[in-house]
């Protein structure tokens, strides 16, 4: 391909993304978009409830066959639900507590100057060529800590890029691509693996198939390879597409470029010691044989499962608060408890816009779940693919695509898999394809479109993060920025799957491609 043709293609891509951004940002404020979408769901639910047919499917989570029909919001019961649940929809919105609790600690570290000085130290002598790859990799690896990457790595990605003189939204995008687009990739198995593996095994049991996947390691080898692939793809897209499309940063955010002083170095040393002591204490509380943070699971085993769901955010709060407080004390920024509270208050003040957005986003997500529209779409989509008659690799690729499409309308990975696994896992087994292969194909499609769907729980929060650096940013900006990652991850990841399929490589220990 000639350089002229390549340049023309680049201009067309940039023009397309700018068009997506213009259309998206021409829409009302993101909060009002969620209001409009909620109204649409109300009327669509009434139409589907009246004229649509219920769907019947086996729910692998419930362990039984379930019939679901659309539930109308445009009747007395629906109206009562909308009013009665409005407050609990908001207070129970998954990202809300997570973000606010973590931000108390992050706010102290940021207000005291610890984050800014740490980033400066990090960038001194660092190889700028590895910065993007490091941010994407950190995002992918953060999935070990469940949702922590959303509230820690994504804003840090923007800060790191800004401190390096690069566009902060490009850093935010690179981190977001790693955290959410690479949700199923990692070098170490995390909480998602046993969750999906358990649903897969329940689907096998319900179909009378005498086979069980390993809960933690069913897809481990493939996920390790996926980590390196996504880091490479994420780096290329960030540097060759996203940053070029964003252009030169002209926003009001100006990073501190003054050299690190001796007093700041002294504060960093003390903060580092405090952080080390904290990590050691938490390690003893979590990982010793009878650690206090372990609790009995349903099988009577001592695990960290309960702690990872409830205790992780307070852990992260203290992870930032303790070194932030020590650093502030050492540099004189934090003199007493009033300064400490001021730091936390400033952090909460910055979240005002997010709280407004979260209220309306929570209503939309709640309405969508209540009406069962996502479930109906998932079941019908799965049955359509089953009826197409594909086999082998074409079936796997079609399954990846439909998983990616359905993810735009139903955010929960486990909820979708509970619906789709009982249909596709036994079907694939009959065609000689392993349950591990079906599960990994689902994970590719589900992860790739996380970063472009407003139904993803943290999407509204990422919009607010972007607006810190560009007040004009909206849904259109974020979707147009993330679209190249989504398309590239979907194509590249599927390509890796094709290679894996033809080479017959194991997906994990004892987990082959074929039965």
């Amino acid at each position: 391909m000639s350089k002229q043709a390549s340049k023309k293609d680049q201009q067309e891509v940039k023009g397309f993304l700018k068009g997506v951004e213009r259309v998206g940002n021409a829409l009302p404020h993101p909060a009002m978009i969620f209001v409009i979408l909620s109204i649409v769901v109300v009327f669509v639910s009434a139409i589907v409830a009246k004229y649509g047919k219920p769907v019947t499917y086996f729910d692998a989570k419930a362990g039984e066959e379930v019939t679901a029909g659309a539930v109308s919001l445009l009747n007395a019961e629906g109206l009562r639900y909308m009013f009665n649940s409005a407050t609990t929809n908001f207070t129970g919105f998954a990202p809300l507590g997570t973000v606010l609790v973590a931000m108390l600690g992050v706010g102290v570290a940021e207000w005291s100057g610890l984050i800014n000085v740490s980033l400066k130290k990090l960038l001194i002598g660092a190889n700028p060529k590895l910065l993007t790859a490091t941010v994407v990799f950190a995002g992918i690896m953060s999935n070990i800590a469940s949702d922590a990457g959303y509230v820690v790595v994504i804003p840090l990605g923007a800060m790191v890029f800004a401190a390096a003189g690069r566009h902060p939204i490009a850093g935010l995008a690179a981190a977001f691509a790693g955290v959410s687009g690479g949700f199923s990739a990692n070098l170490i198995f995390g909480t998602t693996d046993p969750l999906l593996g358990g649903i897969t095994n329940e689907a096998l049991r319900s179909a009378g198939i005498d086979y069980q996947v390993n809960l933690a390691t069913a897809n481990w080898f493939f996920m390790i390879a996926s980590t390196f692939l996504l880091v490479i793809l994420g780096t290329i897209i960030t540097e060759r597409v996203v940053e070029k499309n964003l252009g030169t940063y002209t926003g009001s955010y100006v990073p501190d470029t003054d050299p690190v002083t001796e007093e700041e170095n002294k504060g960093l040393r003390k903060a580092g010691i405090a952080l080390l002591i904290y990590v050691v204490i938490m390690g003893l509380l979590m990982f010793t044989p009878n650690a206090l943070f372990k609790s009995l699971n349903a099988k009577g085993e001592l695990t960290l499962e309960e702690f990872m769901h409830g205790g992780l955010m307070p852990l992260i709060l203290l992870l930032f608060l303790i070194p932030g407080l020590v650093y502030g004390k050492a540099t004189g920024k934090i003199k007493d408890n009033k300064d400490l509270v001021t730091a936390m208050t400033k952090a909460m003040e910055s979240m005002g816009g997010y709280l407004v957005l979260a209220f309306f986003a929570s209503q939309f997500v709640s309405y969508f779940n209540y009406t069962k529209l996502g479930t109906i779409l998932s079941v019908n989509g799965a049955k359509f693919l089953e009826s197409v008659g594909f086999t082998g690799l074409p079936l796997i690729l079609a399954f990846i695509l439909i998983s990616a499409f359905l993810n735009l309308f139903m955010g929960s990975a486990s909820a979708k898999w509970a619906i789709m696994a009982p249909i596709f896992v036994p079907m694939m087994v009959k065609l000689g394809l392993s349950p591990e292969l079906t599960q990994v194909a689902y994970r590719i499609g589900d992860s790739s479109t996380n970063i472009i769907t407003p139904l993803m729980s943290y999407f509204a929060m990422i919009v607010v993060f972007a607006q810190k650096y560009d007040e004009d940013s909206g849904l259109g900006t974020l979707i147009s920025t993330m679209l190249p990652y989504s398309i590239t991850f979907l194509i590249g990841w599927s390509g890796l799957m094709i290679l894996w399929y033809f080479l017959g490589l194991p997906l994990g220990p004892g987990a082959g491609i074929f039965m």
Side-chain angles (χ1 to χ4, degrees):
M1 182 183 290
S2 67
K3 288 184 178 179
Q4 187 175 1
S6 177
K7 186 176 181 181
K8 183 179 178 182
D9 290 342
Q10 269 191 344
Q11 289 173 341
E12 287 177 354
V13 170
K14 184 174 180 179
F16 169 72
L17 295 177
K18 281 293 184 185
V20 172
E21 181 179 359
R22 280 194 297 271
V23 170
N25 289 344
L27 296 171
H29 187 280
M32 291 300 102
I33 290 176
F34 283 113
V35 171
I36 294 167
L37 290 174
S38 298
I39 294 170
V40 170
V41 169
V42 169
F43 284 99
V44 170
S45 70
I47 294 169
V48 178
K50 186 173 182 179
Y51 299 106
K53 294 181 179 179
V55 294
T56 301
Y57 62 98
F58 185 88
D59 189 323
K61 269 187 175 179
E64 61 185 8
E65 197 167 80
V66 176
T67 298
V71 180
S72 174
L73 284 167
L74 204 59
N75 55 28
E77 188 176 349
L79 289 172
R80 286 196 298 271
Y81 171 79
M82 287 189 284
F83 277 86
N84 295 343
S85 68
T87 302
T88 53
N89 289 344
F90 179 49
T91 57
F93 192 45
L96 186 63
T98 300
V99 173
L100 296 182
V101 170
M103 282 303 296
L104 288 172
V106 173
V108 173
E110 187 172 11
W111 191 82
S112 68
L114 174 61
I115 290 179
N116 189 45
V117 174
S118 299
L119 291 176
K120 282 197 286 186
K121 289 287 286 187
L122 178 68
L123 292 168
I124 293 174
N127 187 341
K129 293 182 179 179
L130 297 177
L131 180 60
T132 308
T134 301
V135 169
V136 178
F137 179 73
I140 293 173
M141 292 303 295
S142 72
N143 294 322
I144 300 169
S146 188
D147 294 342
Y150 288 101
V151 293
V152 177
V153 177
I154 293 175
L156 281 180
M159 291 180 189
V160 168
F161 267 51
R166 297 170 64 180
H167 204 299
I169 292 182
L172 179 145
F176 188 25
V179 172
S180 198
F183 185 72
S184 278
N186 216 299
L187 300 181
I188 306 169
F189 36 85
T191 55
T192 305
D193 298 272
L195 177 63
L196 297 183
I199 294 172
T200 301
N201 282 338
E202 183 59 33
L204 289 165
R205 185 197 64 77
S206 67
I209 299 172
D210 186 19
Y211 185 93
Q212 296 283 288
V213 304
N214 189 305
L215 293 181
T217 62
N219 304 142
W220 191 23
F221 295 162
F222 186 82
M223 290 303 132
I224 291 174
S226 299
T227 301
F228 295 106
L229 173 69
L230 297 185
V231 168
I232 293 169
L233 295 177
T235 301
I236 292 171
I237 293 299
T238 302
E239 295 179 351
R240 296 189 182 180
V241 179
V242 171
E243 283 192 286
K244 288 182 178 180
N245 187 52
L246 289 170
T248 304
Y249 180 59
T250 57
S252 58
Y253 180 82
V254 180
D256 181 7
T257 56
D258 293 335
V260 179
T261 65
E262 183 54 39
E263 183 183 48
E264 289 171 335
N265 276 319
K266 182 180 177 182
L268 281 177
R269 286 192 293 271
K270 289 186 176 181
I273 293 170
L275 178 61
L276 180 61
I277 293 171
Y278 173 70
V279 168
V280 170
I281 293 172
M282 292 305 296
L284 293 173
L285 291 171
M286 293 172 67
F287 300 115
T288 50
N290 294 306
L292 294 179
F293 283 160
K294 289 183 178 179
S295 57
L296 292 172
N297 63 11
K299 297 180 180 179
E301 302 166 333
L302 278 175
T303 71
L304 287 169
E305 183 178 343
E306 185 179 355
F307 177 80
M308 293 299 286
H309 282 92
L312 195 60
M313 285 305 116
L315 182 152
I316 291 174
L317 184 156
L318 295 173
L319 186 71
F320 283 90
L321 188 149
I322 291 173
L325 176 60
V326 170
Y327 177 85
K329 284 283 189 182
T331 58
K333 179 76 181 211
I334 297 178
K335 299 179 180 65
D336 52 30
N337 58 65
K338 292 181 181 178
D339 289 334
L340 178 62
V341 174
T342 297
M344 293 182 178
T345 303
K346 289 291 183 183
M348 291 299 101
E349 286 176 1
S350 68
M351 298 305 293
Y354 173 66
L355 292 175
V356 174
L357 190 57
F359 175 79
F360 294 109
S362 67
Q363 306 307 320
F364 167 62
V365 172
S366 176
Y367 293 176
F368 204 80
N369 292 335
Y370 175 82
T371 58
K372 307 294 184 185
L373 292 178
T375 300
I376 292 168
L377 188 61
S378 295
V379 173
N380 287 331
K383 288 182 176 178
F384 166 76
L385 188 55
E386 184 181 17
S387 68
V388 169
F390 286 156
T391 59
L393 187 59
L395 175 60
I396 291 295
L397 295 177
F399 182 53
I400 291 173
L401 289 176
I402 200 164
S403 298
F405 175 73
L406 292 176
N407 189 48
L408 298 173
F409 304 96
M410 194 174 183
S412 172
S414 59
K416 281 197 306 295
W417 188 229
I419 293 170
M420 298 174 75
I423 298 171
F424 285 104
V425 170
M427 182 179 78
M428 301 285 196
V429 168
K430 291 175 185 175
L431 295 172
L433 303 175
S434 72
E436 292 89 348
L437 176 64
T438 310
Q439 181 174 295
V440 85
Y442 167 75
R443 297 176 74 174
I444 291 171
D446 178 69
S447 293
S448 297
T449 52
N450 274 340
I451 48 182
I452 58 171
T453 171
L455 274 172
M456 197 274 292
S457 297
Y458 288 92
F459 201 83
M461 184 190 74
I462 310 303
V463 173
V464 174
F465 283 157
Q467 289 173 341
K468 175 180 178 179
Y469 303 98
D470 182 0
E471 294 179 356
D472 295 328
S473 291
L475 285 176
T477 304
L478 187 57
I479 292 174
S480 69
T481 301
M482 301 313 299
L483 191 58
Y485 293 104
S486 189
I487 294 171
T488 305
F489 280 11
L490 189 59
I491 295 173
W493 220 342
S494 298
L496 180 64
M497 167 56 67
I498 293 171
L499 178 65
W500 218 271
Y501 183 92
F502 281 119
L503 294 177
L505 299 174
L507 295 163
I513 295 284
F514 306 102
M515 291 297 293

